[in-house]
Amino acid sequence: MSDLNADTHFYELDELASLPLSDLQALWESVPTEEQTYLARIFEREASKRQIVEDEDEAAMAHYFLEQYRDIALVPAGEVWLKVPPSVQQDYRGTLAGKSDEDGETADAVAPASTGMFGGLPRWLLLMAVPMVCMFIFAGVNLLTGSDEQSEGVVLLPTETPTPTITPTPTVTPTPFPPTATPFALSGFDDAITAGELPRRDYYPVQLQVFPNADTTPRVFIVQGQEIGVAEWRFDNNPDVVSWLGGMLVRPVLGVPFNEGNLDLFLDMNPDSVFVVTMNTGDVLQFVYEETHQVTRAHTGHFRQSAPGLVLVLIGETFADGAPTDLRYLVTASYPSGQEIDTLSADAPIVVPAGTTHDMGDLTLTVNGGAWMTSANLPQEMGYAVVDVGVLTGDAPVESASLNPVLALRDIPGERLSPDPNAAGNCAPMPSVIPPNTAACASLGFVALRGADAARLTVRDAVFEVPLVPAADTVTAANLDLQLGRITHTDTTFTVAARVFNPTAQPMTVTRDDFGLVLGFIPEPTGAIARPNVAPTTIEPGASIDFTIEFPYAGEGYATLAMLGRVWGVEM
């Protein structure tokens, strides 16, 4: 490091800003040709990214990067920008201080303490600051004055001490630019990607940028491909590396390792948040924040590849005892179609509000309302989205098959649902043929994942807006999550350890009647049910409680254990 610093002169930004243009040009000409070419390419690339065509805007961009250099020592490195650590900056300031004219000491008098994280980087990267600043100041002055001649002073940045100038330059109003992302590492970028499951496909994500809002620097992650084996999601614990569930491309699912910083990032999401995913081909996909959910680990409905979008999952969070938490955070984002098409077709169907009568020629149709209905024939998270419609036919009968009704939920707009004949609503099912001059009320039911508060019903070429009223759930002890622990027994006592978690939105009270044990000498014994001495216990929403339950025991060989609506057979 001392050899590297031996011929390096560190210029403070104010010192460079006060130099005459001829001295700046001399410094720039002292830079090797290949480095001049590289820096010029960086300048052109940044201007192209911002779609800059005017000289004043180009000068404002130079002003912006000079401010970044002054505030955080930002310099280009390859295809990205790098913050030079304070320790490295101090090494060069120390080298400069060693070259004192007054005391005659040489640069060897002050040697940097260590190479730090930059010891393995090429020498030109550490020396890039001075030529970069020269280039931006030189470019900014030439653009503003339209001339290569500038007398004594050049001031493109505000300084604490006024710098004398002979020829005044026009005042530039800086154009705000979004902050440039800084990746977590410059080396090992490809290694971090290929450390996951090697992709056996031609198209996969390699980088994720999260913009909590337009005014903050994005959080940058490297993306690894991962596959789930035996219901286990393997992932890298590095908080800067997210794991992609291999093969999910329509609606990519990315697992973000849990730590406090990433948790805060999830909690900071808002309607202004934007996500940018870079693919291995160079394609850049942008997604817009939709919602933040807190779901159980068994809830995977959002992972379905039914419509374009993005899903981020906070994975790896555990309780104090190391057991995985029952809930985890999940963020969904939509894919704006405007990235690929500028305007919608002029032939797009008219959206008809609920309660409005729409003339369809041979009949008129009105959407009276919609609601979610539960059913014992469906899983708990599923339900019937039932839409009640009013139909008035004309002088001819109408076959209901000609209506071709389909439903699209608001939270999954790309999925189209067809009616299910088993659904029941406030009206009778839609008949196969509606007689002429008949006014009828009919219910159309669609099986879907519950949760959406609105949907759109398409009938022929018309689209109806449908609000969906949530279902009135009946919550029982069976809705509680139960994790059965260890079962032990002594000569007199049968003991069960269990953890109970309340995933519902209302408090739940557990009593002794929710637990029972039947003992016997044959498998699956029946008979008198023993109840434990358990006091009524209320479990708040999102809370969990550990139970240790004891029953009397007299040496029986078999038992039937009932807990919170579940039943197990036990053999001693």
Side-chain angles (χ1 to χ4, degrees):
M1 189 72 174
S2 58
D3 294 340
L4 181 63
N5 286 348
D7 58 351
T8 301
H9 183 87
F10 181 86
Y11 290 87
E12 296 287 353
L13 189 57
D14 293 345
E15 183 180 1
L16 286 170
S18 64
L19 290 176
L21 186 58
S22 58
D23 291 351
L24 285 174
Q25 187 168 3
L27 278 175
W28 171 247
E29 291 173 353
S30 68
V31 178
T33 303
E34 62 273 13
E35 294 175 17
Q36 288 185 358
T37 303
Y38 163 73
L39 287 170
R41 188 173 73 250
I42 292 293
F43 190 91
E44 293 171 359
R45 183 191 70 191
E46 297 300 330
S48 176
K49 285 169 57 178
R50 292 162 172 79
Q51 299 181 351
I52 291 176
V53 294
E54 300 293 336
D55 288 349
E56 290 186 358
D57 292 337
E58 200 164 333
M61 184 184 72
H63 185 283
Y64 165 77
F65 280 110
L66 287 173
E67 287 185 328
Q68 294 296 301
Y69 170 72
R70 179 191 63 191
D71 296 339
I72 58 175
L74 191 71
V75 296
E79 297 301 315
V80 297
W81 292 82
L82 173 70
K83 299 177 184 177
V84 179
S87 59
V88 176
Q89 299 178 47
Q90 187 60 39
D91 287 345
Y92 287 110
R93 289 188 176 89
T95 302
L96 179 61
K99 297 180 179 180
S100 173
D101 294 335
E102 296 180 3
D103 53 18
E105 295 180 5
T106 65
D108 294 333
V110 179
S114 64
T115 62
M117 66 176 286
F118 293 86
L121 294 180
R123 181 177 184 273
W124 61 265
L125 178 58
L126 298 175
L127 304 179
M128 195 60 67
V130 170
M132 185 203 73
V133 173
C134 291
M135 180 190 70
F136 280 129
I137 295 179
F138 188 61
V141 172
N142 285 339
L143 289 167
L144 289 176
T145 62
S147 171
D148 291 337
E149 297 182 1
Q150 175 79 3
S151 45
E152 296 299 325
V154 177
V155 179
L156 198 60
L157 287 178
T159 58
E160 295 181 0
T161 305
T163 303
T165 59
I166 295 178
T167 303
T169 58
T171 301
V172 179
T173 302
T175 302
F177 293 101
T180 303
T182 302
F184 78 99
L186 290 176
S187 60
F189 188 96
D190 291 333
D191 294 339
I193 297 172
T194 57
E197 298 289 339
L198 292 178
R200 292 182 292 274
R201 52 189 62 86
D202 299 326
Y203 193 63
Y204 52 91
V206 295
Q207 187 188 76
L208 166 69
Q209 297 184 56
V210 180
F211 293 79
N213 55 66
D215 300 324
T216 59
T217 302
R219 177 80 164 87
V220 181
F221 298 91
I222 304 305
V223 180
Q224 286 183 351
Q226 295 289 357
E227 296 180 357
I228 290 183
V230 197
E232 180 185 1
W233 190 341
R234 297 184 295 273
F235 62 93
D236 193 319
N237 288 320
N238 187 330
D240 296 320
V241 177
V242 303
S243 57
W244 166 62
L245 289 189
M248 294 192 174
L249 287 170
V250 175
R251 190 176 177 86
V253 178
L254 303 179
V256 181
F258 175 84
N259 72 355
E260 294 299 328
N262 289 343
L263 174 61
D264 292 341
L265 181 67
F266 269 61
L267 298 179
D268 287 343
M269 298 298 180
N270 59 81
D272 294 330
S273 299
V274 174
F275 311 90
V276 177
V277 175
T278 303
M279 308 301 290
N280 64 309
T281 59
D283 290 348
V284 178
L285 309 178
Q286 181 170 301
F287 303 87
V288 179
Y289 171 83
E290 280 186 335
E291 288 184 278
T292 298
H293 309 266
Q294 196 172 20
V295 299
T296 62
R297 293 182 175 275
H299 184 92
T300 58
H302 291 286
F303 297 176
R304 291 189 298 174
Q305 303 295 289
S306 55
L310 176 70
V311 180
L312 302 183
V313 188
L314 194 62
I315 56 179
E317 183 178 5
T318 61
F319 290 115
D321 61 1
T325 55
D326 302 288
L327 295 179
R328 60 185 177 190
Y329 284 97
L330 181 146
V331 169
T332 58
S334 62
Y335 181 77
S337 59
Q339 296 178 87
E340 299 178 0
I341 54 175
D342 294 331
T343 60
L344 297 177
S345 170
D347 298 327
I350 300 173
V351 178
V352 182
T356 301
T357 299
H358 182 69
D359 188 356
M360 306 183 73
D362 54 348
L363 59 82
T364 60
L365 189 134
T366 306
V367 171
N368 297 322
W372 285 103
M373 302 290 181
T374 58
S375 173
N377 299 323
L378 297 176
Q380 182 180 353
E381 68 273 10
M382 305 293 288
Y384 289 114
V386 179
V387 182
D388 297 330
V389 298
V391 180
L392 177 61
T393 57
D395 295 333
V398 176
E399 294 185 0
S400 59
S402 69
L403 301 179
N404 190 27
V406 294
L407 190 74
L409 300 178
R410 172 177 290 177
D411 55 354
I412 314 179
E415 186 175 23
R416 299 293 185 266
L417 306 173
S418 298
D420 189 300
N422 298 318
N426 297 319
C427 304
M430 180 76 74
S432 58
V433 178
I434 308 174
N437 301 310
T438 300
C441 176
S443 291
L444 301 170
F446 306 83
V447 178
L449 185 70
R450 291 161 55 190
D453 59 357
R456 285 191 171 181
L457 176 69
T458 301
V459 180
R460 292 180 178 170
D461 296 329
V463 178
F464 297 84
E465 194 75 32
V466 185
L468 295 176
V469 179
D473 291 329
T474 301
V475 180
T476 65
N479 296 111
L480 297 173
D481 289 343
L482 174 63
Q483 182 180 1
L484 190 62
R486 188 176 183 182
I487 299 177
T488 59
H489 67 85
T490 65
D491 293 340
T492 59
T493 306
F494 185 96
T495 305
V496 180
R499 171 173 289 172
V500 180
F501 173 74
N502 183 4
T504 70
Q506 64 185 63
M508 292 290 299
T509 300
V510 176
T511 67
R512 64 191 303 269
D513 294 333
D514 294 313
F515 307 94
L517 184 72
V518 178
L519 294 167
F521 294 95
I522 61 173
E524 300 180 6
T526 60
I529 301 176
R531 303 291 183 185
N533 188 19
V534 174
T537 303
T538 299
I539 307 176
E540 297 296 329
S544 61
I545 292 181
D546 292 328
F547 285 91
T548 300
I549 306 165
E550 295 183 348
F551 300 89
Y553 176 68
E556 292 86 350
Y558 300 92
T560 299
L561 175 64
M563 300 179 65
L564 303 177
R566 290 88 162 172
V567 179
W568 291 269
V570 182
E571 180 179 353
M572 265 64 77

